[in-house]
Amino acid sequence: MTDRLTIGVIDPEVLGTYGDTGNALVLSHRARARGIATDIVEIHLDEAIPADLDLYVMGGGEDTAQALAADHLRRCADFTAALRRGRTLLAICASLQILGRSYTDATGREVAGAEVLDISTTPQGHRSIGELVTAPLLPGLTQPLTGFENHGGATQLGPDARPLGRVLSGSGNAADHDGGAVDGACQGGVVATYMHGPVLARNAELADYLLARAVGCEVGDLAELDMPLVDQLHAERVRAAGVSA
């Protein structure tokens, strides 16, 4: 297990609208609490995205910001190839959409995605805004996932992607999967979701899942952390959505 971790924050100038870059701070804090040194590196639109960092985060943004980030990913073939080989990345909302095969923007134009996730997104005709709670479907996660969604996309999963969670409250992908509403998409080392929050501040289990992948161990091998306020926040947000924690 590595004792140093480098976290890349991709395009914070356009994908930082909803505070999702805070996910990198959560990962860094939980790593350092376990004696793992961390470096956070911001990668901007005019820079090549390095393909050899330990862990990456991408956030959400508006339509123009999303298009700029999608173009950036398409120009960074080495990075997207690394994701397909299993590099660990957390993607939120707009980033979920641009990592797919394609997404349709607000003008009805179909935009090519990075083709890292086997998903496609089209407009759903209205915005989904509010608390989102799901029952996790990612192996190793046991607690409900909680976040705040604000999107107008309906994301359909292809056979190579699996959902992050089954919707208990809210909309999520706004497209059924095997007969039920789900949120997010997981494929290889990529975990994507419509949950803002930042999502990792609300969901310590998910943060530790990503950390474990990045440092090369099982979640159970990470030292336990005693952070009652984090647990309290998680429970409060789940209850606020009318779901039993």
Side-chain angles (χ1 to χ4, degrees), residues 88-90 134-143 145 161-166 182-193 200 205-211 213 219:
T88 305
L89 178 143
L90 173 68
T134 68
L137 298 173
L138 194 61
L141 301 186
T142 62
Q143 299 176 348
L145 295 167
R162 64 189 188 279
L164 173 61
R166 176 175 55 83
V182 297
D183 171 66
C186 301
Q187 189 171 338
V190 176
V191 175
T193 176
L200 298 186
E205 269 197 344
L206 181 58
D208 287 349
Y209 171 89
L210 294 165
L211 280 177
R213 276 194 58 92
V219 173

Side-chain angles (χ1 to χ4, degrees), residues 19-241:
D20 297 310
T21 54
N23 287 314
L25 298 177
V26 174
L27 290 165
S28 176
H29 179 73
R30 295 186 70 82
R32 286 187 289 108
R34 295 176 165 108
I36 302 170
T38 61
D39 298 299
I40 297 177
V41 178
E42 292 189 351
I43 304 121
H44 297 282
L45 282 169
D46 59 349
E47 299 173 333
I49 305 174
D52 58 351
L53 304 188
D54 300 297
L55 178 57
Y56 302 85
V57 298
M58 298 179 69
E62 306 301 332
D63 291 344
T64 300
Q66 184 178 26
L68 290 169
D71 179 67
H72 190 197
L73 287 185
R74 289 192 297 268
R75 288 186 278 111
C76 296
D78 289 346
F79 169 65
T80 53
L83 293 181
R84 295 187 194 99
R85 292 194 299 269
R87 284 284 172 180
T88 305
L89 178 143
L90 173 68
I92 309 297
C93 199
S95 298
L96 175 155
Q97 296 179 6
I98 65 178
L99 285 168
R101 296 190 302 272
S102 67
Y103 72 94
T104 302
D105 66 17
T107 69
R109 180 175 68 102
E110 184 174 315
V111 181
E115 298 188 359
V116 172
L117 293 173
D118 185 16
I119 62 173
S120 58
T121 302
T122 55
Q124 63 177 339
H126 65 278
R127 293 199 73 78
S128 295
I129 304 176
E131 292 294 317
L132 172 61
V133 178
T134 68
L137 298 173
L138 194 61
L141 301 186
T142 62
Q143 299 176 348
L145 295 167
T146 167
F148 188 87
E149 61 182 338
N150 182 2
H151 64 94
T155 297
Q156 185 67 50
L157 276 64
D160 292 333
R162 64 189 188 279
L164 173 61
R166 176 175 55 83
V167 171
L168 302 175
S169 179
S171 297
N173 292 358
D176 286 348
H177 181 84
D178 293 335
V182 297
D183 171 66
C186 301
Q187 189 171 338
V190 176
V191 175
T193 176
Y194 276 110
M195 292 182 179
H196 302 286
V199 65
L200 298 186
R202 294 186 177 205
N203 300 280
E205 269 197 344
L206 181 58
D208 287 349
Y209 171 89
L210 294 165
L211 280 177
R213 276 194 58 92
V215 302
C217 72
E218 299 295 325
V219 173
D221 295 330
L222 294 173
E224 291 189 17
L225 300 180
D226 183 20
M227 295 183 175
L229 290 179
V230 173
D231 298 334
Q232 180 181 338
L233 172 64
H234 175 269
E236 287 178 350
R237 299 322 303 163
V238 172
R239 286 197 301 270

